[in-house]
Amino acid sequence: AFFISGLGLVIAGARDARLARVAKSPAGASAIAPVASVKQIMQGIVGPAATIIYKSVGTTMTTSGEETWAPKTPEEWEAVGNSAAALIESGNLIMMGSRIVDSGDWVKMSRAMMDGGKDALKAVEAKNAEALFASGEPINVSCDSCHEKYKR
């Protein structure tokens, strides 16, 4: 009788421990609820991230001649890479739940912005300033197209 009682306690304890793990796991977590508006995502994440990418590489003509700039230190490359990753992730955010304006152009333009961010991230990983500069064009086109259609 003691053996069977003890076995029952072990089984019950193991079952309770398994249920506690499931309740704490991401699969058992409550549904994700978007909080920020599209405007907040654009102003707080997309705009600053895109600006860092745009300003990270360039050339200008001065009276002294041509001046070029690009990330040089690991920290500078990391900052641009973080901005590229933020741009990509913000594309995911603006396609969540009620933020999706329509399933056609909104999604297409969001993915185009993400693709530009992915190009920037690849350029950062390769420390390729020319590729980083080129990644600005698809980002800019996706933003301009979206703003034209959806009027900010």
Side-chain angles (χ1 to χ4, degrees):
F2 273 113
F3 176 76
I4 293 178
S5 296
L7 187 58
L9 286 173
V10 169
I11 291 171
R15 184 177 146 256
D16 288 344
R18 189 182 83 230
L19 290 174
R21 280 193 313 269
V22 169
K24 291 180 183 180
S25 72
S30 62
I32 296 172
V35 175
S37 68
V38 171
K39 183 177 182 179
Q40 289 170 321
I41 294 168
M42 292 297 168
Q43 290 179 342
I45 303 172
V46 175
T51 298
I52 289 171
I53 293 168
Y54 295 147
K55 291 184 174 183
S56 67
V57 181
T59 302
T60 201
M61 294 301 292
T62 66
T63 56
S64 307
E66 187 176 275
E67 292 180 12
T68 61
W69 64 91
K72 292 174 182 55
T73 67
E75 295 79 16
E76 289 172 343
W77 282 106
E78 181 179 21
V80 178
N82 291 342
S83 293
L87 194 64
I88 297 162
E89 289 296 347
S90 65
N92 290 324
L93 291 174
I94 63 174
M95 290 192 295
M96 281 180 62
S98 63
R99 295 181 187 137
I100 297 176
V101 174
D102 62 55
S103 60
D105 288 341
W106 183 262
V107 172
K108 180 181 172 185
M109 292 174 195
S110 298
R111 288 192 175 136
M113 179 185 71
M114 294 170 71
D115 289 345
K118 289 175 186 177
D119 290 345
L121 191 56
K122 287 178 191 171
V124 166
E125 290 167 353
K127 296 191 177 20
N128 183 333
E130 287 179 26
L132 181 56
F133 181 80
S135 74
E137 183 66 17
I139 295 169
N140 190 50
V141 168
S142 69
C143 293
D144 286 347
S145 299
C146 191
H147 290 180
E148 183 179 315
K149 179 163 184 171
Y150 299 105
K151 309 293 186 210
R152 292 188 190 220

